[in-house]
Amino acid sequence: MRFRGKSIRRKIVALLLVPLVSLTGLWVLATYVTGRQATELMSVSTTVDKVAGPLEEAVRVVQAERRQTLVFLADPRASDALPLLLSQRADTDRIVAEVRDSARQNDVREALDAEARTRLDAILSAVDGLGSLRESVEKRTIGRAKALDFYNGLVDPAYRFLNGLHTTENGSMDKQMRALVGISRAREMLSREDALVASGL
């Protein structure tokens, strides 16, 4: 009798053990998948908050500086042309400094892949040429077409960087980000036309 009781207990334990092990396995799998997605979203948040957002803002101020530069080159004698240009340059310098600070942070660099880091560094290196361009503008030794090309050369790589930024494995979110970058590029084309028209009037 005693032997039978142990056998029944063992059978009950064995019957309960299989579902418990299965449930534990499912829980571990669900925790792993959810944890991985949470980590990915935190990485995306870092990338968007500290790189993509400030870089988009930098593009906006560079566009405004480009417009004001072309207006200044078209009519440097206008009373408000130079003060407006200097004010816009200060805005550009402030935003670019913020992007530089963000780009140096370890968590930002770790969130980007090697190609994205290289592109970001190239963008920031290109911005270093703003000083010589500004000097040429003030001395009026550069034409509007060359100034426009220089500013376009700053903006285009920024959009290539943003478009190539791999944010998440979620296809829907990735498509939405690329669509937003596409809209921003369309706005850039309008900004170029606006700068040309404003400098031509």
Side-chain angles (χ1 to χ4, degrees):
M1 274 273 203
R2 197 167 179 180
F3 180 73
R4 256 186 182 183
K6 280 188 175 179
S7 178
I8 291 175
R9 277 191 217 128
R10 285 183 184 159
K11 287 180 182 178
I12 291 173
V13 168
L15 286 173
L16 291 175
L17 194 60
V18 172
L20 285 175
V21 169
S22 299
L23 285 174
T24 304
L26 285 173
W27 177 79
V28 168
L29 178 66
T31 303
Y32 169 75
V33 170
T34 306
R36 195 169 130 234
Q37 288 176 345
T39 303
E40 184 181 329
L41 286 176
M42 287 173 56
S43 174
V44 168
S45 175
T46 298
T47 304
V48 170
D49 291 344
K50 295 187 176 180
V51 179
L55 190 59
E56 182 67 31
E57 182 66 15
V59 166
R60 187 192 61 76
V61 293
V62 166
Q63 289 170 339
E65 182 178 332
R66 174 181 59 200
R67 182 184 193 278
Q68 198 56 44
T69 297
L70 295 184
V71 168
F72 174 77
L73 287 172
D75 186 12
R77 293 172 303 208
S79 61
D80 63 342
L82 187 58
L84 286 174
L85 179 57
L86 294 176
S87 171
Q88 191 55 56
R89 286 177 179 176
D91 289 346
T92 301
D93 291 340
R94 180 177 49 81
I95 299 296
V96 167
E98 290 175 13
V99 173
R100 282 187 197 281
D101 290 343
S102 291
R104 288 187 189 118
Q105 294 177 8
N106 286 335
D107 59 337
V108 170
R109 299 208 59 89
E110 289 170 4
L112 299 173
D113 60 20
E115 184 181 348
R117 282 193 298 269
T118 303
R119 283 184 176 181
L120 183 59
D121 292 339
I123 291 167
L124 295 174
S125 295
V127 172
D128 292 338
L130 265 176
S132 60
L133 172 76
R134 289 171 174 174
E135 189 177 320
S136 298
V137 167
E138 286 180 18
K139 292 179 180 176
R140 294 180 207 99
T141 58
I142 190 171
R144 285 183 282 174
K146 283 194 175 184
L148 179 69
D149 287 343
F150 181 87
Y151 283 109
N152 293 349
L154 293 178
V155 173
D156 289 339
Y159 282 124
R160 280 194 295 274
F161 169 81
L162 291 171
N163 203 35
L165 202 58
H166 179 68
T167 53
T168 178
E169 291 179 19
N170 183 334
S172 172
M173 283 179 67
D174 207 40
K175 284 180 185 176
Q176 289 175 14
M177 180 164 175
R178 291 182 195 283
L180 288 173
V181 172
I183 290 170
S184 295
R185 286 194 93 139
R187 191 181 70 212
E188 161 62 9
M189 294 299 116
L190 289 174
S191 175
R192 288 181 188 185
E193 290 178 15
D194 176 56
L196 288 170
V197 169
S199 66
L201 296 178

